[in-house]
Every structure is written in C-alpha cells, then in structure tokens.
Amino acid sequence: MTRIIADISVSLDGFVTGPDPGPDNGLGTGGEALHTWAFSEDPDDRRILREATARSGAVVLGRRLFDIVDGPNGWDDTTGYGAGEVGKPAFIVVTSSPPESVRLTDLDWTFVTTGLPDAVTAARERAEAASSTSGKDLDAILMGGGATIGAALAAGLVDELSLHLAPVVLGAGTPLFTGGAPRTLVQRSVTSTSTVTHLTYDVL
C-alpha cells in the first residue's frame, strides 16, 4: 500500500533552513549542518538514506524548493535526490504556474497548478504505478520545503513523518511547524547516530 511520507531534516529549534535562504543560499546561513548526516559514513545514516530513497516512487516538492534544486547551484549527479542510492523517481512540483524552462531535463517533472492535495494525489498515483512496474511497495515522499510539509500535515495528507533531528540550533530560518490543526503522532522508531537522531512517526 502506497503511503504519503513527509521526510525532512530539522534543527533542534524547529527550522528546516538557516536564516536568509534563497536561490543562491538554498539552506540559509548555517543550514548545511542539517544535512551532514546525508553525507556521513555512519552505517546507520547510510542505511536510513538508502532505505528512504529506495522506497521513493514519487517525490513532492514546493515551487520555491524546485527553483533552488533546478537552479545553477542546485542538484547535479552527486547531490541530487538520493544520488548514488536510487534511480530517478517522478517529481511532482506544487506551483501556481509551470516554469518557462527546466535545467534538469533528465528528471521526470510534473507541475501541478491546482493545489497541494492534487499534487499529493498525483504523487500517489505515480508511486502506485511505479510499484506495479517494479513489483515493490513504493511510497510518495514529501521532501519539502518546510511550508509544503507543514501544509500537508495541517491538511491531514500525511501518513508518516520522518524527521532527521540535527544537533544544531539555528536561531532563525524556515520553521517546519507554523500552526494548523493539531495532529496525534505515534512514535515508531528512533535511531541515534554520530550526526543526527532519526525519528519516525505515524500520523493519526
């Protein structure tokens, strides 16, 4: 069964970027510390990254994040989604209008202009199709940014929340949680490594 999984790295004080994020400074000032674990050689970090990317049948991201990853300082063969760990899933972008051009033309982009629920539905359908083709159970992953995941949680669109809690206090930046309807979480796993604490919750 395809699940909708929100998966994001976050600071101890609840930020998913440092201060002043932008096209040329995607993670904000100091925000690189949030993703140290993704480049770690710790065996548990490597396993969790490998398992998370292997289950990705489709990936949802907001337009601001798309502009960063598709920008001139964005993804490449070594820093793209699950680089070195997984094939290339479908990417679903929530946006008010599609971009005029795309730099990363080797990736499968779909631009949904009718809102986040429709983007999540499209991602679920793509993940289910990929599951049928591959014979594996694949999920739809919400990778961010923070506003996209926060809105999905508030709207009750998320089945599982996977947080990578980095040992850093950023002081400011893009918050993950900004209010909305309360949600009950059931903790399913905790894995502490030398770089981060991986937390997994079911969202009720």
Side-chain angles (χ1 to χ4, degrees):
M1 179 179 177
T2 295
R3 297 168 297 167
I4 308 301
I5 299 176
D7 189 310
I8 197 165
S9 298
V10 62
S11 69
L12 290 175
D13 50 349
F15 295 104
V16 297
T17 75
D20 302 318
D24 296 322
N25 189 29
L27 290 172
T29 303
E32 294 83 1
L34 296 172
H35 295 271
T36 299
W37 74 271
F39 303 96
S40 164
E41 294 303 321
D42 185 293
D44 282 327
D45 286 336
R46 301 310 305 168
R47 174 183 58 80
I48 286 168
L49 179 65
R50 182 174 61 252
E51 291 174 352
T53 53
R55 74 187 181 199
S56 301
V59 177
V60 177
L61 62 160
R63 176 57 185 270
R64 185 176 300 175
L65 181 54
F66 166 79
D67 287 341
I68 291 170
V69 302
D70 193 56
N73 299 314
W75 286 350
D76 56 30
D77 290 340
T78 62
T79 61
Y81 184 86
E85 296 287 350
V86 71
K88 297 175 180 178
F91 290 92
I92 313 297
V93 181
V94 188
T95 182
S96 59
S97 60
E100 294 182 1
S101 63
V102 174
R103 178 178 65 87
L104 298 169
T105 55
D106 60 326
L107 298 180
D108 179 358
W109 298 104
T110 297
F111 298 92
V112 175
T113 60
T114 51
L116 180 57
D118 286 346
V120 170
T121 296
R124 187 191 297 274
E125 291 172 351
R126 295 296 298 272
E128 289 173 347
S131 295
S132 296
T133 300
S134 67
K136 302 176 182 178
D137 291 329
L138 300 175
D139 297 316
I141 310 298
L142 281 77
M143 67 170 286
T148 299
I149 288 181
L153 285 167
L157 300 174
V158 177
D159 299 315
E160 180 181 304
L161 177 62
S162 179
L163 296 180
H164 312 285
L165 186 63
V168 60
V169 175
L170 293 172
T174 305
L176 178 57
F177 302 112
T178 58
R183 295 290 167 191
T184 299
L185 306 179
V186 177
Q187 185 168 286
R188 293 305 183 197
S189 68
V190 178
T191 303
S192 295
T193 73
S194 59
T195 61
V196 75
T197 301
H198 304 280
L199 303 160
T200 302
Y201 303 93
D202 287 339
V203 183
L204 303 185

